[in-house]
């Protein structure tokens, strides 16, 4: 009889331990999930960073990447002019990376006068919303229809003269790179109209 009682007690202990383990696991999972922001919050942060109104977006996609150490949200959407790809830290809500691309190519007139390199820098700084920057690099990129690229470094130098161009389909773009705060930036600015062609913003240390 004693032996039966001991066996029953051991069985009850095993069940208790198993139930406790399941309960702990469930609580841990809920706790871990509670530490991440919601999809709605991630979308709001992405739109705020991009300066885009909710009513202006279309083709919105949000994916949650459940990495153990660095869970994140990948957010994609479009506006009338641009395509956006954004990564948001699911724990902190901080922007990890942003990529913006102009949807339609810009046609530049032949022999058009170029904006200054300083103007291109100011366009990039204003869009990024930064005042204090470091390690600024400005490069004029010239690409013709034969895919022959020419680069000209213009760090802190204004460009007042037109480039020699005998090709009607030559694209002239300023590449502006700089660092500000916790991020590094790379902009492509149309050298004729001053329109932003692309943006790359990335957290220095993810």
């Amino acid at each position: 009889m004693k032996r039966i009682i001991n066996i029953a007690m051991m069985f009850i202990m095993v069940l208790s331990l198993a139930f406790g383990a399941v309960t702990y696991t469930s609580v841990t999972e809920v706790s871990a999930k509670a530490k991440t922001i919601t999809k709605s919050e991630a979308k709001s942060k992405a739109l705020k960073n991009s300066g885009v109104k909710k009513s202006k977006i279309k083709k919105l996609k949000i994916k949650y990447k459940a990495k153990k150490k660095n869970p994140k949200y990948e957010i994609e959407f479009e506006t009338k002019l641009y395509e956006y790809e954004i990564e948001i830290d699911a724990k902190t809500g901080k922007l990890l990376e942003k990529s913006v691309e102009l949807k339609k190519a810009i046609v530049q007139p032949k022999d058009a006068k170029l904006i200054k390199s300083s103007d291109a820098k100011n366009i990039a700084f204003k869009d990024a919303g930064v005042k204090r920057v470091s390690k600024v690099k400005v490069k004029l990129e010239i690409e013709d229809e034969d895919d022959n690229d020419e680069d000209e470094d213009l760090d802190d130098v204004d460009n007042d003269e037109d480039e020699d161009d005998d090709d009607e389909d030559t694209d002239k773009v300023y590449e502006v790179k700089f660092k500000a705060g916790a991020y590094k930036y790379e902009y492509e600015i149309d050298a004729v109209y001053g329109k932003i062609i692309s943006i790359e913003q990335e957290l220095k240390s993810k």
Side-chain angles (χ1 to χ4, degrees), residues 152-197:
E152 182 178 347
D153 287 320
L154 297 167
D155 292 0
D156 299 320
V157 177
D158 288 344
N159 184 66
D160 292 318
E161 298 180 2
D162 294 342
E163 296 291 328
D164 292 332
D165 177 24
D166 295 324
D167 196 315
E168 293 184 3
D169 295 319
T170 297
D171 294 325
K172 302 181 184 70
V173 176
Y174 282 111
E175 184 181 88
V176 184
K177 295 182 180 180
F178 58 94
K179 294 180 180 180
Y183 295 94
K184 53 185 178 181
Y185 300 80
E186 182 175 332
Y187 278 76
E188 285 188 343
I189 309 292
D190 179 85
V192 175
Y193 299 107
K195 193 172 188 66
I196 295 173
I197 297 172

Side-chain angles (χ1 to χ4, degrees), residues 54-158:
K54 184 179 178 180
S55 59
K56 300 295 183 181
I57 67 172
K58 55 184 179 179
K59 297 183 180 180
L60 175 67
K61 295 179 182 178
I62 303 178
K63 293 181 181 179
Y64 176 70
K65 297 289 185 177
K67 296 183 178 180
K68 289 183 178 180
K69 292 184 178 180
N70 303 107
K72 64 182 180 180
Y73 285 100
E74 293 181 350
I75 303 165
E76 298 179 11
F77 60 88
E78 295 182 15
T79 61
K80 185 178 180 180
L81 298 176
Y82 293 95
E83 294 177 339
Y84 294 78
E85 293 182 6
I86 297 172
E87 292 183 3
I88 299 291
D89 190 307
K91 289 183 177 180
T92 64
K94 183 180 290 186
L95 175 75
L96 297 175
E97 191 172 332
K98 178 174 75 174
S99 177
V100 183
E101 289 283 343
L102 187 66
K103 293 165 71 173
K104 294 183 179 180
I106 297 174
V107 179
Q108 296 178 340
K110 183 181 178 181
D111 299 327
K113 184 175 178 61
L114 307 186
I115 65 172
K116 298 178 181 180
S117 61
S118 58
D119 292 334
K121 285 192 296 182
N122 290 334
I123 291 168
F125 295 164
K126 183 178 180 180
D127 180 82
V130 298
K131 293 181 179 179
R132 294 184 180 181
V133 300
S134 62
K135 297 184 178 179
V136 184
K137 291 184 178 180
V138 183
K139 181 186 291 184
L140 177 62
E141 294 187 340
I142 302 174
E143 182 177 349
D144 61 31
E145 63 180 356
D146 297 321
D147 292 327
N148 295 320
D149 295 340
E150 296 179 26
D151 293 339
E152 182 178 347
D153 287 320
L154 297 167
D155 292 0
D156 299 320
V157 177
D158 288 344

